[in-house]
Amino acid sequence: MTEPTTDGRRLKGERRKQELIEATIRVVAREGVAGVSHRAVAREAGQPATAAAYYFDSIDDLLTAALTRCMAEDAERLRALAARSDGSPAGLRELAELMCTVVTRPDHLLAEYELYLLAARRPELRGPTDDWLAAVAEFGRRYTDDPVRLRLLSGAIDGLLMQALLTDAPPTADEFEAVLRTVLP
């Protein structure tokens, strides 16, 4: 009888930890990386003030978990798209539509780029960003083996999504697709 209680506590603990990671992403979206503190994240998650410090020893641990979550979700979506793609124009269209979906959540996208740029300053955080770039290359290899075009693809996706944050009217799927067709003819 003791095991179910322990398992229940573990599940509750894991759920709380995931809620704290999501709260970290929301805090980063709203206030930037500088706004992240154990208290701010716990408050955002609706948990006791000490919860974030209990599950994450440092702010860096919180930020790493948030970055890992964002990059893993993005990489997973792109890998699923790559698995469905046969190198036809339909795959480029689907990627363009996925990019449109991503820009409809500008707060989440802003948080991702805040965390992405943090990895530029902290090499120890680059594992999750490397995974994202590998997923982009995996998709791109459905269309080309040219390393220059694959590099252009990752730069184009990142640049287009970043630019979408800077405009009042984000690009349409047609506009994204036109760029993708130029990069991956």
Side-chain angles (χ1 to χ4, degrees):
M1 283 201 155
T2 327
E3 282 184 46
T5 305
T6 304
D7 288 344
R9 280 189 230 148
R10 268 195 210 129
L11 288 173
K12 182 179 179 184
E14 186 56 34
R15 188 177 66 246
R16 283 184 154 211
K17 193 173 180 180
Q18 295 308 313
E19 289 169 357
L20 290 164
I21 292 168
E22 284 300 319
T24 302
I25 294 167
R26 289 191 303 274
V27 170
V28 170
R30 189 175 55 248
E31 301 173 35
V33 170
V36 175
S37 69
H38 283 120
R39 279 189 184 277
V41 169
R43 183 174 41 249
E44 180 70 26
Q47 294 186 20
T50 57
Y54 177 80
Y55 291 103
F56 298 94
D57 291 336
S58 68
I59 300 302
D60 278 351
D61 289 344
L62 265 171
L63 293 171
T64 299
L67 174 66
T68 300
R69 162 79 65 82
C70 290
M71 295 293 100
E73 287 174 353
D74 290 348
E76 184 180 317
R77 279 194 304 258
L78 201 51
R79 283 193 172 101
L81 179 60
R84 291 190 304 273
S85 181
D86 60 0
S88 71
L92 294 179
R93 180 63 185 195
E94 196 172 349
L95 176 55
E97 289 171 355
L98 175 61
M99 291 170 71
C100 277
T101 301
V102 168
V103 300
T104 62
R105 295 178 55 204
D107 289 347
H108 195 270
L109 184 60
L110 180 61
E112 286 191 43
Y113 275 110
E114 287 264 352
L115 294 163
Y116 197 61
L117 290 173
L118 184 64
R121 289 191 178 101
R122 298 183 186 170
E124 68 275 10
L125 296 179
R126 293 194 188 145
T129 59
D130 290 346
D131 187 43
W132 156 246
L133 294 171
V136 172
E138 189 176 319
F139 176 85
R141 279 193 291 280
R142 300 283 194 227
Y143 295 86
T144 184
D145 287 327
D146 181 349
V148 173
R149 287 197 183 274
L150 294 173
R151 188 123 168 132
L152 279 170
L153 177 63
S154 63
I157 291 172
D158 281 337
L160 290 167
L161 293 176
M162 178 78 76
Q163 287 175 2
L165 290 171
L166 303 171
T167 63
D168 293 330
T172 65
D174 289 340
E175 292 168 322
F176 281 139
E177 185 179 6
V179 173
L180 294 170
R181 285 181 188 270
T182 300
V183 173
L184 298 174

